[in-house]
Amino acid sequence: MKWVYEPSPTPASQGVACCDVVNRGASYDDGKIYYNTLDNQTVAVDAITVKSFGKHALAISTKGESMTMAPLVVKGRVLVGNSGGEFGVRGWLTALDGKRERLLGELTRQVRTETS
């Protein structure tokens, strides 16, 4: 093994995670490895030196939101979303700029209910 990076997520997130204490993988793009932590942060580290490029806190665990998905990188954009629909949270998708390490925008799915 060449290196190990341990993010140390907030312990409180383990008690409210919808999907168990899991991580469904990482993504690689342009020399960086991206992954999400159980306490709702997206992390970027250099694939060779393990230098952290920062963390982006994107959701609130106490609301029932979790981020266990592997990020998806498309043309330098890091796409991440939340889990926790069974706890009543609204689903969303966020894009981060992989080069500048900043938030680009968020899409929220509106839930419609039918009434008779």
Side-chain angles (χ1 to χ4, degrees), residues 9-11 16 21 27-29 34 39 47 54-55 59 69 72 76 80 82 85-86 89 92-94 98 101:
T10 306
V16 295
V21 183
S27 293
Y28 174 87
D29 185 56
Y34 299 94
D39 60 350
K55 295 181 181 182
M69 67 172 284
L72 175 65
V80 296
N82 68 336
E86 62 272 31
V89 300
W92 51 261
L93 174 69
T94 294
E101 302 300 323

Side-chain angles (χ1 to χ4, degrees), residues 5-47:
Y5 180 81
E6 296 182 12
S8 302
T10 306
S13 62
Q14 295 179 13
V16 295
C18 71
C19 312
D20 202 4
V21 183
V22 297
N23 179 289
R24 292 188 169 84
S27 293
Y28 174 87
D29 185 56
D30 196 28
K32 296 178 186 173
I33 298 174
Y34 299 94
Y35 64 93
N36 294 317
T37 62
L38 192 61
D39 60 350
N40 299 307
Q41 297 186 68
T42 298
V43 179
V45 296
D46 186 281

Side-chain angles (χ1 to χ4, degrees), residues 76-92:
R77 304 299 194 252
V78 183
L79 306 173
V80 296
N82 68 336
S83 304
E86 62 272 31
F87 293 129
V89 300
R90 180 179 288 171
W92 51 261

Side-chain angles (χ1 to χ4, degrees), residues 64-111:
E65 292 178 292
S66 298
M67 290 175 53
T68 59
M69 67 172 284
L72 175 65
V73 183
V74 179
K75 296 183 180 181
R77 304 299 194 252
V78 183
L79 306 173
V80 296
N82 68 336
S83 304
E86 62 272 31
F87 293 129
V89 300
R90 180 179 288 171
W92 51 261
L93 174 69
T94 294
L96 297 162
D97 184 328
K99 300 238 185 269
R100 295 185 186 96
E101 302 300 323
R102 64 183 174 93
L103 188 66
L104 290 174
E106 182 176 309
L107 299 172
T108 302
R109 180 177 175 209
Q110 299 292 330
V111 178

